[in-house]
Amino acid sequence: MSILVVGSVAFDTIATPSGRVQDLLGGSATYFSLAASYFTDVRVVAVVGEDFSAEQESVLKKRGVDTRGIEHAKGKTFRWGGQYMENLNEAKTDFTELNVFEKFQPRIPDAYKDSKFLFLGNIHPVLQSAVRRTMDGVRMTGGDTMNFWIQGAPKDLAETLKGVDILLINDGEAKMLAGERNLPRAAHKVLAMGPKALVIKHGEYGATIFFREGAFGIGKHPFRAPALPIEEVKDPTGAGDSFAGGFMGYIASQEEINREVLKRALFYGGVMGSFAVERFGTERLQSLTRDEIEARFQVFRELTHLE
Amino acid sequence: MSILVVGSVAFDTIATPSGRVQDLLGGSATYFSLAASYFTDVRVVAVVGEDFSAEQESVLKKRGVDTRGIEHAKGKTFRWGGQYMENLNEAKTDFTELNVFEKFQPRIPDAYKDSKFLFLGNIHPVLQSAVRRTMDGVRMTGGDTMNFWIQGAPKDLAETLKGVDILLINDGEAKMLAGERNLPRAAHKVLAMGPKALVIKHGEYGATIFFREGAFGIGKHPFRAPALPIEEVKDPTGAGDSFAGGFMGYIASQEEINREVLKRALFYGGVMGSFAVERFGTERLQSLTRDEIEARFQVFRELTHLE
């Protein structure tokens, strides 16, 4: 079933120990769309500037992503520059030029309104809530956020969380959002804010999904998917959004939402994140095959599977 | 089959957010012995001072641990004081009084010489090597070390590593030992120093075992066991030694050493570590049942198991 993602499209300038690239196509909606496109139909709502070329849009179109919801505004596309040096898990931001993204007001095309799955990428929680209200017929809503909104717009974020079924954030964000340093305790506090399930991403250590009791008609025991130990991390940018794309995309491709589907989704999230970091930008996500994805899924499964 | 452990017995003074305790029985050999005692016969070589009471020794004896190798020397027992505050994964050392441990020269009782498994706890690598040479008939040797020896006695440690089949260290130690920040690359460098397998402990994220190609007649693909997300960590002291005790103890209890046994051992390591941190000191490890251990093993297995 179709999934609608709202988020950013950006040009990234990135330095890592493996090299430096400039104005590479990126943004949360881009990574999410590409990753999810291997599982289901994807529709994207975002804003770009006059410097966004047909060639860049074709990266998404080639993967079958519906780009009619990308608004072309006057001005320049959102730009971000950052570097990953010693610690590949954490980016140091060099610059952020919001440009057309500053006044972004997501508009959902009528053709998107029958989407059954919604992903609220990391944008201002007020915009996330507005989109969520427009899409009140969806079966499941996933969401992302970050420290910037947790600290800067806590009330707006609290409102957003009431409309999110599954929140996907990392360890640091979960602890900050809950005001609690113990991870499972933090998870329970976040679940009390609204989401039925919480996916906490641990970077190279995988991810854990925590459930509100009775959510999705399943038990409350958490589930953890490992990540593949990767020797060559070229560029961690977009790993989290690619994770979300694999996770939500797989769920949207299934008939039912049950514990086993959510478990497998967590593995597919890790699989797509692991591909994303192997090359700069979205390169690796542009040319995968479903066979490659399944092969890595099996490697991930084998990684922790007891007979 | 019997396992011989050489390490420290100490009195620990510990402060955590859950409280403060003084002169609690601890030390690497103590935690290791108690954890391993649920799987196999354990023999311990360590040194204590005149302040070590029969009551304290009985903690080990009650678990069937053979304590004839504990040397009673003149002076005081090794004392360590530390606190875990914000970050429960890392201890801040308040004081270290080596006392009788400073001149520790491990002596292996004749009755111990037929031990088939050996664990070299975290002591000076020169002592580890000396013990290893004495026990040249063992089937498998496990070993531990720490930053202090990696930086302070690299040549001695290199010699020790040649005689260790499986090294168990944490992420930071592996990276420091290899001089390499990428974890799988660090693992390969450490394996090139001697061990057939390397267990890297990730604290609350579990542990990964890396294999030298062809080691134990099995493939080289790593295996990862998750840790249980624990809500109530009372005292992390001894978690690593308890992990090692569960890991080595389970291996020693099996007929064969193969991939499946090593995988299960990694889970049992995590299980014993998770019990250890639930109470201060060794309290939880003193009174477990095999049923409790199996039940938690199943929880750990379920945590990442796909149908």
Side-chain angles (χ1 to χ4, degrees):
Chain A
M1 278 176 281
S2 287
I3 186 163
L4 164 59
V5 55
V6 183
S8 60
V9 170
F11 291 142
D12 293 338
T13 295
I14 302 159
T16 84
S18 304
R20 190 177 185 282
V21 290
Q22 199 164 350
D23 289 337
L24 216 58
L25 178 64
S28 62
T30 307
Y31 282 101
F32 181 97
S33 297
L34 290 173
S37 73
Y38 291 92
F39 300 93
T40 194
D41 292 336
V42 184
R43 297 150 167 189
V44 59
V45 167
V47 64
V48 296
E50 294 152 303
D51 51 356
F52 188 78
S53 68
E55 199 190 328
Q56 282 151 340
E57 193 155 333
S58 77
V59 167
L60 293 170
K61 283 184 173 171
K62 274 186 198 152
R63 287 290 323 140
V65 175
D66 189 333
T67 60
R68 285 177 291 173
I70 297 184
E71 176 194 344
H72 292 256
K74 281 208 170 150
K76 289 171 77 178
T77 301
F78 177 31
R79 272 173 171 73
W80 177 79
Q83 48 186 300
Y84 306 81
M85 285 302 153
E86 280 299 276
N87 182 355
L88 277 166
N89 285 320
E90 217 170 317
K92 183 183 156 294
T93 292
D94 290 327
F95 62 85
T96 305
E97 297 170 10
L98 290 177
N99 300 326
V100 297
F101 195 59
E102 191 168 4
K103 304 232 161 131
F104 179 39
Q105 292 288 346
R107 271 187 291 265
I108 316 296
D110 284 340
Y112 285 13
K113 297 237 164 113
D114 62 350
S115 305
K116 289 292 169 219
F117 290 82
L118 171 64
F119 187 73
L120 303 169
N122 173 27
I123 56 176
H124 196 298
V126 165
L127 301 182
Q128 292 180 315
S129 289
V131 170
R132 179 67 185 83
R133 279 193 300 272
T134 311
M135 301 294 295
D136 56 4
V138 295
R139 204 169 147 202
M140 176 189 274
T141 300
D144 186 14
T145 192
M146 68 184 293
N147 295 351
F148 187 72
W149 309 121
I150 295 170
Q151 295 184 302
K155 281 184 189 167
D156 298 328
L157 182 57
E159 195 53 38
T160 298
L161 291 181
K162 290 180 194 163
V164 166
D165 297 304
I166 305 191
L167 181 69
L168 292 95
I169 51 182
N170 67 31
D171 292 57
E173 289 156 355
K175 289 174 182 177
M176 183 184 281
L177 181 55
E180 163 64 55
R181 291 190 59 91
N182 175 283
L183 202 65
R185 281 207 302 266
H188 296 316
K189 286 193 181 178
V190 172
L191 290 172
M193 298 177 190
K196 295 191 184 73
L198 170 66
V199 173
I200 301 183
K201 297 170 286 178
H202 313 307
E204 63 178 311
Y205 302 118
T208 307
I209 185 166
F210 293 89
F211 302 101
R212 187 132 53 88
E213 188 141 15
F216 308 109
I218 59 184
K220 63 166 188 165
H221 292 296
F223 183 76
R224 183 169 278 189
L228 185 71
I230 296 174
E231 291 204 33
E232 195 64 41
V233 177
K234 273 234 158 60
D235 171 16
T237 311
D241 301 311
S242 306
F243 183 103
F247 178 82
M248 290 290 297
Y250 177 73
I251 294 172
S253 77
Q254 300 297 300
E255 290 292 313
E256 256 191 274
I257 301 171
N258 55 38
R259 185 171 169 89
E260 199 61 25
V261 165
L262 292 170
K263 282 159 67 170
R264 288 177 171 267
L266 210 64
F267 273 78
Y268 279 112
V271 164
M272 299 313 287
S274 79
F275 279 124
V277 304
E278 287 181 351
R279 301 276 186 285
F280 275 98
T282 61
E283 187 187 331
R284 193 73 179 94
L285 294 185
Q286 292 179 33
S287 59
L288 284 168
T289 65
R290 194 60 202 249
D291 279 355
E292 285 177 308
I293 292 169
E294 290 309 315
R296 185 157 298 180
F297 179 92
Q298 287 306 325
V299 170
F300 270 57
R301 182 174 178 275
E302 264 301 301
L303 194 63
T304 56
H305 191 80
L306 291 179
E307 297 307 321
Chain B
M1 278 174 283
S2 286
I3 187 162
L4 165 59
V5 54
V6 183
S8 61
V9 170
F11 291 142
D12 293 338
T13 296
I14 302 159
T16 85
S18 305
R20 191 176 185 281
V21 290
Q22 198 163 349
D23 290 337
L24 216 58
L25 178 65
S28 62
T30 306
Y31 282 101
F32 182 98
S33 297
L34 290 173
S37 73
Y38 291 92
F39 301 93
T40 193
D41 291 337
V42 184
R43 296 149 167 189
V44 58
V45 167
V47 64
V48 296
E50 294 153 304
D51 50 359
F52 188 79
S53 68
E55 197 190 331
Q56 282 150 341
E57 193 155 334
S58 77
V59 167
L60 293 170
K61 283 184 172 169
K62 275 186 198 153
R63 287 291 322 140
V65 175
D66 187 334
T67 60
R68 286 175 292 173
I70 296 183
E71 178 193 341
H72 292 254
K74 283 211 167 145
K76 289 172 77 178
T77 300
F78 176 31
R79 273 175 170 71
W80 177 80
Q83 47 185 301
Y84 306 81
M85 284 304 154
E86 279 298 277
N87 182 354
L88 277 166
N89 285 319
E90 218 170 315
K92 185 184 156 292
T93 292
D94 290 327
F95 62 85
T96 306
E97 297 170 9
L98 290 177
N99 300 328
V100 296
F101 195 60
E102 191 168 4
K103 305 232 160 129
F104 179 39
Q105 292 289 344
R107 273 187 291 264
I108 316 296
D110 284 339
Y112 284 13
K113 295 239 163 111
D114 62 351
S115 306
K116 288 294 170 216
F117 289 82
L118 172 63
F119 187 74
L120 304 169
N122 174 28
I123 56 176
H124 195 299
V126 165
L127 302 183
Q128 291 180 314
S129 289
V131 171
R132 178 69 186 84
R133 279 194 300 273
T134 312
M135 299 295 296
D136 56 5
V138 294
R139 203 169 147 201
M140 176 190 273
T141 301
D144 185 14
T145 191
M146 68 184 293
N147 295 351
F148 187 73
W149 309 119
I150 294 170
Q151 294 183 305
K155 282 183 186 167
D156 298 329
L157 181 57
E159 194 54 37
T160 299
L161 291 181
K162 290 179 194 162
V164 166
D165 297 303
I166 304 190
L167 181 68
L168 293 95
I169 50 182
N170 67 30
D171 290 59
E173 289 157 355
K175 290 173 182 178
M176 182 184 281
L177 181 55
E180 163 65 55
R181 289 190 60 91
N182 174 282
L183 203 66
R185 282 208 301 269
H188 297 316
K189 286 194 181 178
V190 172
L191 290 172
M193 298 176 189
K196 295 192 185 75
L198 170 66
V199 172
I200 302 184
K201 296 169 286 177
H202 313 308
E204 62 178 313
Y205 301 119
T208 308
I209 184 165
F210 293 89
F211 301 102
R212 187 131 54 87
E213 188 142 15
F216 307 110
I218 58 182
K220 63 165 185 163
H221 293 295
F223 183 78
R224 184 169 277 189
L228 184 71
I230 296 174
E231 290 203 35
E232 195 65 41
V233 176
K234 273 236 158 60
D235 171 17
T237 311
D241 301 312
S242 305
F243 183 103
F247 178 82
M248 291 289 298
Y250 177 73
I251 294 172
S253 76
Q254 299 297 299
E255 290 292 314
E256 256 192 275
I257 302 172
N258 55 38
R259 186 171 168 87
E260 199 59 27
V261 165
L262 291 170
K263 283 159 65 171
R264 288 177 170 266
L266 210 62
F267 273 78
Y268 280 112
V271 164
M272 300 313 288
S274 79
F275 279 123
V277 304
E278 287 181 351
R279 300 276 186 287
F280 274 97
T282 61
E283 187 187 332
R284 192 74 180 94
L285 294 184
Q286 292 179 32
S287 59
L288 284 167
T289 65
R290 194 58 202 249
D291 279 354
E292 285 176 307
I293 292 169
E294 290 309 317
R296 185 157 297 180
F297 180 91
Q298 287 308 325
V299 171
F300 271 56
R301 183 174 177 276
E302 264 301 300
L303 194 62
T304 57
H305 191 80
L306 292 179
E307 295 309 319

